Amino acid sequence: MAFVNWLKRKFVVIAGLLTLGYLLLPNVVVTVFSFNNPKGRFNYEWQQFSLDAWKDPCGVAGMCGSLSISLQIAFFATIGATVLGTMIAFALVRYRFRARGAVNSLIFLPMAMPEVVMAASLLTLFLNMGAQLGFWTILIAHIMFCLSFVVTAVKARVMSMDPRLEQAAQDLYAGPFQTFIRVTLPIAAPGIAAGALLAFALSFDDFIITNFNAGSTVTFPMFVWGSAQRGTPVQINVIGTAMFLVAVLLVLTSMVISNRRNKQKA
């Protein structure tokens, strides 16, 4: 009976941990198989422990080149989407203008519609403009795709901001620029950072929009898809594990910085 009562009290926590474990299970499998030494071309069955793939992550022709392209596109797409998305979010929250409601609704369309629809639409636009498909068309498409996610993240943060803080800065003779840099931007920074990280992850991971607008350019997700047709090199698992560890490290660093700031305020 005591165990049943304990289970009832901890049910939500246990269910949350089980769900988190289920979500992280693919990452665990990828990490484990990054140390595998398969006998054939496919890395689907455990054969033997090996560090060969970690010692030579660029051992597969074209993989690190595609990874470099994906990182470049994700980096520039994150900058573009974050700058534009932050300005749009502030405009939607702070200002009243014609068609504001329509713009507010249209922002959510890229998140609501299937990626294949947006990919085909962008491809049609580029072809009608006579644009050469490649790096720049992928970059533009990724900025368009990530923009709505950044706007949503930053908008939620801006809506929760206390306008009295900015008014207090103005009462202390701070100009508009000083108020924005020293008060508004630091408060909105967590939302902007969340939108930027989300944009980077979405851009780096995207396949459908990229595949439609890539031309002859090969990004890392496209390389993985092509490799799966003829074999799955262990180096793919190595890169995936490394990206996952970097993401976890960024989250932990953010938590540590946030905790330190809270302690200093206390």
Side-chain angles (χ1 to χ4, degrees):
M1 191 65 181
F3 175 76
V4 174
N5 293 331
W6 177 86
L7 189 62
K8 289 180 179 179
R9 292 195 305 269
K10 302 294 183 180
F11 177 78
V12 175
V13 177
I14 295 173
L17 291 175
L18 290 175
T19 303
L20 182 62
Y22 177 75
L23 292 174
L24 293 177
L25 184 60
N27 300 94
V28 175
V29 174
V30 168
T31 302
V32 170
F33 277 83
S34 68
F35 297 98
N36 190 25
N37 184 21
K39 295 180 180 179
R41 295 179 300 170
F42 295 94
N43 187 26
Y44 296 153
E45 296 182 2
W46 180 263
Q47 300 292 335
Q48 183 182 3
F49 180 85
S50 175
L51 293 173
D52 293 341
W54 283 91
K55 293 178 181 178
D56 188 18
C58 295
V60 180
M63 189 179 72
C64 282
S66 64
L67 176 63
S68 175
I69 292 174
S70 285
L71 290 174
Q72 292 178 48
I73 292 174
F75 176 76
F76 290 116
T78 299
I79 293 177
T82 302
V83 172
L84 294 175
T86 300
M87 292 191 293
I88 293 173
F90 272 94
L92 290 174
V93 175
R94 295 294 180 84
Y95 299 96
R96 299 293 182 267
F97 52 89
R98 286 187 178 181
R100 177 174 172 267
V103 173
N104 223 347
S105 301
L106 289 174
I107 286 296
F108 291 95
L109 279 182
M111 295 189 295
M113 72 172 61
E115 278 191 54
V116 66
V117 176
M118 185 175 185
S121 301
L122 288 169
L123 175 61
T124 303
L125 175 64
F126 291 138
L127 292 179
N128 288 334
M129 294 175 59
Q132 181 69 34
L133 298 181
F135 181 92
W136 294 107
T137 54
I138 298 174
L139 178 60
I140 294 172
H142 281 203
I143 292 176
M144 296 295 294
F145 173 62
C146 298
L147 188 61
S148 58
F149 293 91
V150 176
V151 171
T152 302
V154 178
K155 183 182 172 184
R157 182 64 178 178
V158 175
M159 290 179 66
S160 66
M161 291 171 55
D162 188 352
R164 290 175 296 182
L165 297 175
E166 295 169 292
Q167 294 170 4
Q170 294 170 0
D171 290 340
L172 295 173
Y173 301 102
F177 182 77
Q178 286 181 310
T179 302
F180 179 78
I181 294 297
R182 298 194 175 189
V183 179
T184 308
L185 189 59
I187 298 175
I192 297 173
L197 290 174
L198 183 59
F200 185 89
L202 290 170
S203 176
F204 180 83
D205 187 56
D206 183 76
F207 173 78
I208 298 176
I209 293 176
T210 305
N211 191 41
F212 270 74
N213 300 280
S216 59
T217 304
V218 179
T219 62
F220 185 68
M222 294 177 65
F223 178 86
V224 174
W225 177 79
S227 298
Q229 311 302 311
R230 56 186 183 275
T232 51
V234 185
Q235 283 81 357
I236 290 177
N237 296 66
V238 172
I239 298 299
T241 302
M243 295 299 296
F244 173 71
L245 293 177
V246 169
V248 172
L249 182 62
L250 289 175
V251 172
L252 293 177
T253 303
S254 175
M255 292 176 60
V256 170
I257 294 174
S258 178
N259 290 334
R260 287 183 178 178
R261 287 180 177 177
N262 291 334
K263 289 181 179 179
Q264 290 176 354
K265 291 179 180 179

